[in-house]
Amino acid sequence: MIEGERTGVVFALTGPATIGRSPGNAIRLPGTQVSRAHATLRPTERGYVLQDLESRNGVFVNGRPVREQLLRPGDEVRIGPTLLLLEPVSGPPLDDERATETPEETGPATAEPPALVVTRDQAPEEALVTVSYDAGALASSAAEPPEDPKALARAHARLGALYEIGTLVSAQLDLGPLLREVAARVREALDADRCLVLLGAGERAEDLEPAAYVSVGEGGPIRVSSTLLRRVLEEGKSVRVGDARLDVRLRDAESVRLSGARSLCAAPLRRVTRTIGALYVDTTRPDRLFDDEDLRLLSAVAAQAAVAIENARLYASARAEVREWRARASGGSPALVGGSAPWKALLGEVRKVAGTDSTILLSGETGTGKEVVARAIHDLSRRRERPFIAVNCAAVTESLLESELFGHEKGAFTGAYKTKPGKFELADGGTLFLDEVGELSPATQTKLLRVLEERRFDRVGGVRRIAVDVRILAATNRDLTAEVSSGRFRQDLFYRLAVVPLRVPPLRERPDDVAELARHFLRRFARDLGKPVTEISDEALAALARHRWPGNVRELQNVIERAVVLTDRSRVDVEDLPASLPSVGGSPRVAPPTGDLSLPDIVAETERVYIARALDVAKGRKVEAARLLGISRPTLDKKIKAHGLGVPKSKN
C-alpha cells in the first residue's frame, strides 16, 4: 500500500487472493468506497490478473478504469482511497496480516491436483456412518444448544467459518480460484490434512476428477474408497468414517491401507436433482477424528459450494458466449471497417460519447450502418455487459408498437393471454436502440417523451409504475429538423433524442472504404457459405469504386453476397457482379441515345434501369426499393407496371 489509511503494509501474493472490505478477504481494505468483495487477483502463466467483481466504485490501473487486466510490475491499482503498487519481492513477507501461517501449516494448493485413484475395495457399506444433511442443517438442527463454554465457542467458530466460506464463494465467479478457495477454507475450518474437490459429468465414482486439492506436507496420488464415493454420488448423502483403523470392517480395506487415512468425511455437491461432484476431507492423525458436527459443517459448505460452482460455470459460459459474439462483431461488423477521413471522424466522436449515458440520435441514409454504429457505442460503454435491444419502429404497426415498447398485462386486449414485458424492461441496465424513430405516430411520440423525462412507464392495461435505467440510442433516415418544422415530429421529443447528434456518412462520401468493405464481406460470406473464395479482382474492385451506391453499405453487402453465391472460382471477377450495377463495364447500362431517341424515351429507359437495380438491391422488397429511390410505394408500383418489370423474389 503506497497511499491510504494503511500506507506501508505489504501483502505477499502466493496464490489467488480476494480484495475487499469484508474480514474474509486476503487483502482487506478500509473505506466505504470499497465493496465487501471488490476484486480478485488470480495467478496465470504470464502473471497476476486483476478482475473487478462488479464493484460499485470500480477498479483503476494506472489511473484507467478496468474490468479485467493482466498486471505488470510497477502497475498501480486504485481501489477506493487506497493505492497499491505491484512489485516483485524476494524473502519473507513483510507486515502481511495473513502471512502468519507457514507453508507447513497451510500446505500447498496445487494448480494441477494429483491423480485420483478410486480403489474398488470390498469394505462393507455398514462401516460408513451416513447422514443426510441439507444447506440449512447447521441452523435447523434439532439438537439443544451446548451449555459448555468450550462447546459454545466451538459452535460459534464453526458458524463463523461457515459464514466466511459462504461470503467468499458467493463473491468468486471464476471456477478455478473458487475451487481452490473452497478446498483451502474447508481444510482450515475442519483441521483436516487433505481436502479434495471432485467434479464429474456422471454419477459414477469413475467419472470424477480432482478439480482442486490442498494438503499438509507432500502430495501424491489420492486414494479414495469406491464404496464411499458410490454412496455419496448415487444416494446424495454425506458420509463419515470416525476411525478407520479401529473399525474391524474397514481395517483391511485397500483404500484405507494405501491412503493412510485415519478419519474421513465426504459430502455431495448437489444441485436440485443432480449431483455434480463431492467434497472430501481426511486426516491421518489419531488425535483428530471427525464427528457428526464436522460432517454437518462439511455438508452445509458443500451445499453452498455447489450453488457457487454452478454459478461460476454459467458465468464462464456467458462470458464465452459474449466473447464469441464480440469476436464475430469485431470480425464481421462494418462499424469497425474503414479508414477514410469521414469514417475516422465518426468513430472518434463515438469513442467520446460512448462512456456517457447521453441520448444519441444517429442520422443518415438507409443502409449506412446506423444500427452497427449503435452497437459499437453500446460495446464501448459501461453498459456493455447488459442487454442491447433494438426496435424497428417502422416494422411494427402503430396498434402494437406501444405494447412492444412498454409491454402489456394479461387481459389488456384481445390476444393478451399472458403478461409480457416490453423492450424498455428487457433493456433495463443496458441500451435500447430505436431505429426509424421518425416513423413514430404522434400518440406514441407523446408516450415516449414522457418515459424519457420520467424514466417510468405503465404497461398497457397496467396500474403499477415501472422504473427502468435505460440508455436511449435513436436512428432515422429522415430530416427530423424538417419534420419538426412541418409539425410531423414533436419538437420537445426531438431535443430529448438529439442530445448528441451523430451523422453516419453515406458510402459515396467514403469511397476509399469500398475496397476494404468488399474484402471484408467477401471473407465473411465465404466463411458462412463454406465456399473457397479468397480474393476479388482489381477490375471488380474498380467497378465497385465507380458505383455511387445509393443503397450504401447494405447494397455493397448484397452485391458481394450474390457474387460469392454465384461464383465457381476462388476469385470474384467483374462477370460475377450483377448486370444491373451501372458501373460494371465502366458505364451505366442504359441504352445510348440515337438520332431517333427522344428525351422522354431516354428518361424512361434510365428510370426503368434504376428501378430494376433498386429492386435487385432490395432483394424484391418494394418498401426498401421505394426508400432507395426516394419515392412512395404506390408510385413504385405504378412505375413497375408501366415498365413491365418483374420483381425478384424476396429472401425474407
Side-chain angles (χ1 to χ4, degrees):
M1 292 185 180
I2 60 174
E3 183 180 314
E5 187 177 316
R6 303 173 62 194
T7 299
V9 174
V10 176
F11 294 92
L13 299 177
T14 58
T18 57
I19 306 174
R21 196 175 71 243
S22 297
N25 290 286
I27 300 178
R28 187 181 178 190
L29 303 182
T32 57
Q33 298 176 7
V34 182
S35 301
R36 291 183 176 87
H38 202 105
T40 61
L41 284 163
R42 66 177 188 274
T44 66
E45 294 180 356
R46 296 184 298 164
Y48 272 86
V49 173
L50 175 69
Q51 181 182 358
D52 185 8
L53 294 176
E54 302 293 335
S55 62
R56 181 179 297 273
N57 294 303
V59 176
F60 298 80
V61 176
N62 300 326
R64 299 180 60 184
V66 300
R67 304 279 301 192
E68 184 173 337
Q69 182 165 319
L70 176 68
L71 296 180
R72 303 292 186 186
D75 281 351
E76 294 182 353
V77 178
R78 167 75 66 180
I79 296 180
T82 302
L83 187 64
L84 301 104
L85 173 68
L86 181 73
E87 60 181 7
V89 206
S90 59
L94 304 175
D95 300 333
D96 183 0
E97 65 178 7
R98 299 190 59 84
T100 57
E101 297 177 334
T102 65
E104 288 74 19
E105 291 175 323
T106 59
T110 60
E112 294 294 333
L116 173 67
V117 179
V118 179
T119 306
R120 294 173 176 79
D121 51 45
Q122 302 299 320
E125 296 193 9
E126 294 78 9
L128 302 177
V129 179
T130 304
V131 185
S132 180
Y133 291 124
D134 56 22
L138 283 177
S140 62
S141 173
E144 292 293 330
E147 297 181 359
D148 180 53
K150 292 184 179 180
L152 281 172
R154 186 181 179 191
H156 183 269
R158 291 181 183 277
L159 286 172
L162 179 62
Y163 172 77
E164 182 178 356
I165 293 173
T167 302
L168 289 172
V169 300
S170 64
Q172 181 59 260
L173 290 175
D174 287 331
L175 186 59
L178 168 66
L179 298 177
R180 291 191 291 270
E181 192 73 37
V182 168
R185 297 293 177 174
V186 169
R187 192 209 68 78
E188 180 183 1
L190 289 178
D191 189 22
D193 291 339
R194 299 190 302 181
C195 180
L196 176 66
V197 182
L198 297 163
L199 297 179
E203 292 193 354
R204 301 186 309 157
E206 293 78 8
D207 295 328
L208 292 181
E209 294 183 359
Y213 174 68
V214 62
S215 171
V216 173
E218 295 293 330
I222 305 172
R223 301 184 183 275
V224 181
S225 165
S226 61
T227 306
L228 179 145
L229 290 181
R230 186 166 55 250
R231 177 71 65 86
V232 171
L233 293 177
E234 295 178 359
E235 300 182 17
K237 295 181 178 179
S238 301
V239 175
R240 175 179 66 85
V241 176
D243 192 335
R245 296 186 181 182
L246 296 180
D247 195 315
V248 295
R249 293 165 296 183
L250 286 177
R251 185 179 301 167
D252 297 328
E254 185 181 3
S255 60
V256 175
R257 178 176 58 82
L258 293 176
S259 68
R262 188 67 177 264
S263 185
L264 55 92
C265 289
L269 296 167
R270 190 167 180 81
R271 289 294 298 125
V272 190
T273 59
R274 65 190 184 95
T275 302
I276 62 174
L279 192 57
Y280 170 89
V281 293
D282 67 17
T283 177
T284 59
R285 291 170 287 156
D287 61 337
R288 179 64 184 106
L289 305 179
F290 298 122
D291 56 22
D292 280 348
E293 292 302 316
D294 296 317
L295 186 62
R296 198 188 303 270
L297 176 60
L298 184 68
S299 301
V301 172
Q304 290 183 328
V307 176
I309 289 169
E310 285 292 271
N311 288 341
R313 284 173 167 174
L314 291 172
Y315 179 71
S317 175
R319 285 179 62 88
E321 185 174 354
V322 168
R323 283 194 297 269
E324 179 182 352
W325 281 105
R326 284 183 177 171
R328 290 184 182 181
S330 63
S333 171
L336 303 178
V337 177
S340 63
W343 200 244
K344 284 184 177 180
L346 173 64
L347 295 183
E349 294 177 334
V350 164
R351 294 187 184 95
K352 290 179 182 179
V353 301
T356 71
D357 277 341
S358 300
T359 304
I360 297 174
L361 178 64
L362 298 166
S363 61
E365 299 175 7
T366 298
T368 52
K370 295 185 290 295
E371 181 172 349
V372 175
V373 174
R375 287 186 179 274
I377 294 172
H378 173 76
D379 289 341
L380 292 171
S381 73
R382 65 178 181 84
R383 298 173 181 264
R384 57 185 172 272
E385 302 292 342
R386 304 298 297 167
F388 176 90
I389 304 294
V391 180
N392 190 331
C393 300
V396 184
T397 61
E398 181 182 351
S399 59
L400 294 178
L401 185 57
E402 183 179 356
S403 172
E404 185 75 9
L405 291 175
F406 309 122
H408 62 256
E409 298 288 346
K410 180 180 179 181
F413 50 84
T414 303
Y417 299 113
K418 62 179 181 180
T419 298
K420 174 189 173 184
K423 301 301 186 185
F424 270 92
E425 287 181 76
L426 296 176
D428 190 21
T431 303
L432 180 64
F433 175 60
L434 300 176
D435 197 9
E436 305 295 351
V437 72
E439 306 295 329
L440 291 176
S441 67
T444 308
Q445 291 179 32
T446 302
K447 294 174 182 176
L448 177 60
L449 174 64
R450 185 176 180 184
V451 175
L452 293 179
E453 291 177 340
E454 301 179 1
R455 299 292 172 174
R456 295 174 180 270
F457 62 91
D458 302 325
R459 290 179 182 153
V460 177
V463 295
R464 181 174 62 90
R465 302 286 284 168
I466 299 174
V468 290
D469 173 24
V470 175
R471 183 184 191 177
I472 301 295
L473 304 180
T476 181
N477 60 357
R478 294 190 177 190
D479 183 355
L480 286 192
T481 305
E483 296 288 304
V484 169
S485 300
S486 65
R488 289 190 294 269
F489 200 85
R490 292 184 61 114
Q491 186 179 46
D492 44 6
L493 177 59
F494 171 73
Y495 290 136
R496 279 285 184 181
L497 293 175
V499 175
V500 179
L502 295 179
R503 177 180 175 269
V504 183
L507 189 54
R508 63 179 174 275
E509 293 183 8
R510 38 188 291 232
D512 295 342
D513 294 337
V514 171
E516 187 176 354
L517 282 166
R519 294 189 183 97
H520 160 77
F521 287 129
L522 181 77
R523 290 190 297 268
R524 194 176 92 180
F525 289 124
R527 181 186 65 242
D528 294 346
L529 297 171
K531 301 196 68 173
V533 185
T534 58
E535 59 180 328
I536 182 169
S537 69
D538 293 339
E539 293 78 8
L541 288 175
L544 296 175
R546 288 193 298 267
H547 186 40
R548 294 286 293 169
W549 301 110
N552 293 297
V553 178
R554 183 180 298 143
E555 181 185 0
L556 175 60
Q557 177 180 334
N558 292 342
V559 166
I560 300 300
E561 180 182 7
R562 177 186 183 278
V564 173
V565 169
L566 296 180
T567 187
D568 294 324
R569 301 180 300 275
S570 62
R571 184 178 72 170
V572 169
D573 229 322
V574 175
E575 54 265 29
D576 298 312
L577 301 179
S580 59
L581 201 67
S583 58
V584 173
S587 61
R589 294 179 178 269
V590 179
T594 65
D596 298 329
L597 195 62
S598 64
L599 181 60
D601 291 334
I602 296 175
V603 172
E605 178 63 15
T606 303
E607 185 178 78
R608 184 191 67 78
V609 170
Y610 276 87
I611 290 176
R613 179 158 59 95
L615 289 169
D616 184 60
V617 169
K619 298 183 178 181
R621 295 188 292 267
K622 292 184 180 180
V623 173
E624 181 66 19
R627 286 181 180 173
L628 292 175
L629 295 167
I631 60 178
S632 67
R633 167 67 182 275
T635 301
L636 177 62
D637 287 333
K638 292 178 182 178
K639 292 183 179 294
I640 290 174
K641 184 177 179 180
H643 292 295
L645 293 171
V647 179
K649 186 177 181 181
S650 173
K651 291 186 178 182
N652 296 328

